[in-house]
Amino acid sequence: MWQIRIKPGSGIGAALTVLAAAVIACNVEYTPPTVSDGGSSGGAPPGVTETGRVIDVIDGDTIDVEIDGRVERVRYVGVNTPERDETCYREARAANQALVSGQIVSLVRDESDTDRYDRLLRYVYVGGTFVNAELVRGGWAEAVLYRPDDREWANFAAVERDAAAAGRGCHPTGIFNDGNDER
């Protein structure tokens, strides 16, 4: 076990006390988000429409999932990540891959079933982790309103404000600063 001795009057003890208080405060203030607030919880997500295994991560917001023996391409609802030719693409894809690669996912539909490319539009969960929200929380995705699929819009927007303010993920690159939250 390590032991640190601090010389009285050095100021280091006071600095460490302030630092420890700040760390403790950060941990105390953090409450794991629930499914209803766009985060994660220990329970199953409401409204699951399909479950399957992720067999490929296409990019930061798209995956291929095997569902009942067929492969479906799934586009995450309410978020957008950098495209292949854009800054931070590799990092956003890697973050998505770390969350879902090879995992069993639960898929939840909002209003739309598919997009114009015939991809399933879904909220994606791995266990109690709300993947869409976690990508926004980490700064790897931006919140985007794609009407009529807006059930989690306010949650995603709030999480994104926090990620941007903290400079997490792709935010420092400016990739999400196009001034348009709706597509």
Side-chain angles (χ1 to χ4, degrees):
M1 174 177 242
W2 289 66
Q3 185 176 22
I4 299 175
R5 294 178 192 233
I6 298 175
K7 187 176 183 179
S10 68
I12 295 174
L16 286 175
T17 301
V18 170
L19 179 61
V23 168
I24 291 168
C26 288
N27 289 333
V28 170
E29 290 179 22
Y30 177 74
T31 302
T34 63
V35 170
S36 63
D37 75 2
S40 61
S41 75
V48 173
T49 53
E50 302 98 357
T51 59
R53 180 174 301 280
V54 175
I55 60 169
D56 196 13
V57 175
I58 306 306
D59 57 26
D61 55 34
T62 309
I63 55 178
D64 283 343
V65 179
E66 184 177 355
I67 304 169
D68 296 329
R70 70 186 190 287
V71 176
E72 295 283 353
R73 184 144 296 172
V74 178
R75 172 63 166 80
Y76 298 174
V77 175
V79 303
N80 189 52
T81 61
E83 301 301 328
R84 188 174 305 273
D85 61 340
E86 294 178 326
T87 299
C88 210
Y89 164 82
R90 286 188 184 120
E91 296 84 347
R93 183 178 183 276
N96 189 23
Q97 198 163 24
L99 288 166
V100 302
S101 188
Q103 298 293 316
I104 299 295
V105 293
S106 298
L107 306 175
V108 177
R109 180 177 165 178
D110 194 326
E111 292 293 323
S112 304
D113 187 41
T114 60
D115 66 8
R116 62 183 174 189
Y117 305 108
D118 291 323
R119 299 177 295 188
L120 297 178
L121 296 172
R122 299 292 187 269
Y123 298 114
V124 178
Y125 296 82
V126 172
T129 300
F130 189 2
V131 176
N132 308 50
E134 287 304 309
L135 289 169
V136 175
R137 186 179 323 285
W140 308 115
E142 65 179 325
V144 176
L145 179 58
Y146 295 96
R147 294 186 193 275
D149 302 300
D150 59 2
R151 183 170 50 220
E152 296 291 340
W153 161 247
N155 297 324
F156 291 164
V159 170
E160 182 182 9
R161 282 191 296 276
D162 291 343
R168 288 194 294 265
C170 298
H171 285 284
T173 70
I175 188 72
F176 301 137
N177 297 343
D178 64 1
N180 185 11
D181 293 336
E182 188 169 351
R183 306 259 183 344

